[in-house]
Amino acid sequence: MSRYRIDRLASTFGARISGIDLSRPLENSLSAAIVNDLLEHRVLVIRDQTLSHEDHIRVSRLFGEPEVHIQDQYTVPGFPQIVTISNIHRNGAPIGLYDGDNEQEWHTDLSFRPAMSAVSLLYSVIAPEEGGETRFADTTAAYDDLSAELRARVDGCEAVHSMVHLFERQAADNPAKVPLTEVQRAQVPDVVHPLVREHPQTGRQSLLLGDMIIRGIVGLDQAESAGLLDQLHEHVTSEEYVYSHRWAAGDLVIWDNRATMHTASPCDHTRHQRLLYRTTVM
Ligand code: SIN
C-alpha cells in the first residue's frame, strides 16, 4: 500500500493510479482503495500493467461479477466475459467490436440491458500511434451544472434505449457493419431508463445519454425529443467535461458507467492496429 499513489487527471473527474501491480494478488486495503477511488474519480487510469485474461477477470471482480457479452463471436475463447475491441480484420472480418475507421458513438456500456452496468475495465494490448483514443464525459458534473430550467425539463424523463436502433443507425453509416443475428436481436428488446439517475453508492445524480442508442424520450414527439437530446449531448461532451485517453500498450482504464459515458475515436485500420479487451460488471 505504501507505493500506491493517486493523481487527478482533469478538472472535474479522472485520476491516475501508480505504484501497483495488478498481476499480483491485491491486499484488502489496496482493493478497497481502488474501489473507493473509482467512486470518487469516476475514471481510473493504471499504466504499465501486464495482465493475463485471468488477471483481468480477477481485477474486475473487485467491483462485482463480469457479464457474459451477447456478441459471442467477439468474446475471448474460454473467457465469455471478455470482449475483444479491435480494428484488426482476419479473413475479411473484424475480430472485435468498434472496428470502423470512423468509430464515434457516445454511450454507457450495456445500456440496452434492463439492469444497468456498473463498471467497465478496458485493457490495451496493441495501441495505435495515431487516433483510437477513448474519450470519457463526466455526466455527473455536467448534470450538476445544468441550468435550473433544463434540470426541471429532464428530471423525471425516461428514454428508450434500443440496440436494434443502434445497429440500424450504424449500418446506415457503414454498410459493412456486421448485423445482429436473429438470436441476438431477440435477446435485446428495447428498454426504458431514466434520463437522470442516482448513483446507488454516491447518491449523486447524472445524465444517462447515448447519441445513437436512444430511440427517443418517452412522451415527446420525435423532433422535440431529438432537440432535447442534442442539447444535452452538446453540453455533456463540451471540452470541460471530457477526458481523452491516448492509449499505450499495458494501460488499464476502469470507469464507472453510472457516472460517465464514453466513445471510441476514429483510427485508420490501414495504418494502425488497435487491440483491447473489456469486461463489464453489472
Ligand atoms: C467501449 O466502448 O467500451 C470501447 C471504447 C473504445 O473502443 O475506445
Side-chain angles (χ1 to χ4, degrees):
M1 188 71 189
S2 55
R3 292 177 56 230
Y4 186 92
R5 181 181 156 146
I6 182 133
D7 297 292
R8 296 185 66 142
L9 288 178
S11 56
T12 63
F13 75 137
R16 177 174 174 182
I17 292 178
S18 45
I20 53 170
D21 176 358
L22 295 171
S23 69
R24 300 164 71 129
L26 296 171
E27 295 162 30
N28 289 344
S29 56
L30 211 46
S31 303
I34 296 170
V35 170
N36 287 333
D37 282 331
L38 183 66
L39 289 176
E40 180 174 347
H41 298 287
R42 306 191 269 292
V43 173
L44 298 177
V45 173
I46 310 173
R47 295 211 188 257
D48 303 321
Q49 301 298 307
T50 306
L51 302 182
S52 64
H53 294 314
E54 287 86 355
D55 294 331
H56 193 164
I57 298 280
R58 178 176 45 75
V59 176
S60 303
R61 288 196 170 121
L62 293 179
F63 304 97
E65 195 48 39
E67 173 81 352
V68 169
H69 200 274
I70 65 153
Q71 283 173 280
D72 51 4
Q73 70 269 43
Y74 301 128
T75 56
V76 174
F79 297 89
Q81 314 94 324
I82 300 183
V83 66
T84 305
I85 289 180
S86 184
N87 63 359
I88 300 172
H89 287 60
R90 252 182 230 132
N91 305 323
I95 65 164
L97 295 172
Y98 304 102
D99 61 301
D101 286 357
N102 291 314
E103 281 300 338
Q104 176 146 301
E105 184 242 325
W106 285 100
H107 64 279
T108 292
D109 288 333
L110 312 190
S111 77
F112 54 87
R113 294 261 196 230
M116 290 297 302
S117 65
V119 174
S120 294
L121 299 91
L122 188 57
Y123 175 60
S124 166
V125 177
I126 301 175
E129 279 160 26
E130 204 181 298
E133 296 85 0
T134 303
R135 286 184 295 145
F136 296 90
D138 187 350
T139 53
T140 308
Y143 174 80
D144 288 347
D145 293 348
L146 285 182
S147 66
E149 189 196 338
L150 205 45
R151 257 195 219 199
R153 253 185 106 193
V154 297
D155 283 342
C157 279
E158 292 180 315
V160 178
H161 291 238
S162 169
M163 184 80 152
V164 171
H165 178 71
L166 169 68
F167 268 68
E168 285 166 359
R169 289 196 55 183
Q170 288 178 325
D173 291 346
N174 170 16
K177 172 92 185 159
V178 179
L180 289 175
T181 63
E182 279 310 311
V183 172
Q184 288 167 342
R185 278 173 83 100
Q187 288 173 340
V188 287
D190 291 2
V191 294
V192 171
H193 291 301
L195 209 49
V196 177
R197 62 194 169 152
E198 185 175 299
H199 193 291
Q201 279 158 293
T202 65
R204 292 188 69 179
Q205 309 283 106
S206 72
L207 288 161
L208 173 54
L209 299 171
D211 59 357
M212 290 174 96
I213 200 165
I214 295 186
R215 219 185 249 292
I217 298 177
V218 177
L220 299 191
D221 67 34
Q222 198 52 36
E224 218 183 335
S225 166
L228 180 54
L229 290 170
D230 285 351
Q231 186 181 1
L232 293 170
H233 257 279
E234 197 180 326
H235 170 67
V236 174
T237 58
S238 61
E239 211 175 302
E240 64 185 298
Y241 304 117
V242 172
Y243 163 66
S244 179
H245 185 73
R246 166 136 210 80
W247 289 99
D251 288 356
L252 177 74
V253 177
I254 308 176
W255 62 88
D256 190 335
N257 283 304
R258 301 157 299 185
T260 59
M261 67 174 177
H262 60 279
T263 179
S265 304
C267 180
D268 178 355
H269 85 281
T270 63
R271 295 172 57 221
H272 301 290
Q273 292 196 329
R274 185 173 191 263
L275 174 65
L276 307 106
Y277 293 112
R278 192 189 80 199
T279 54
T280 300
V281 168
M282 299 303 281

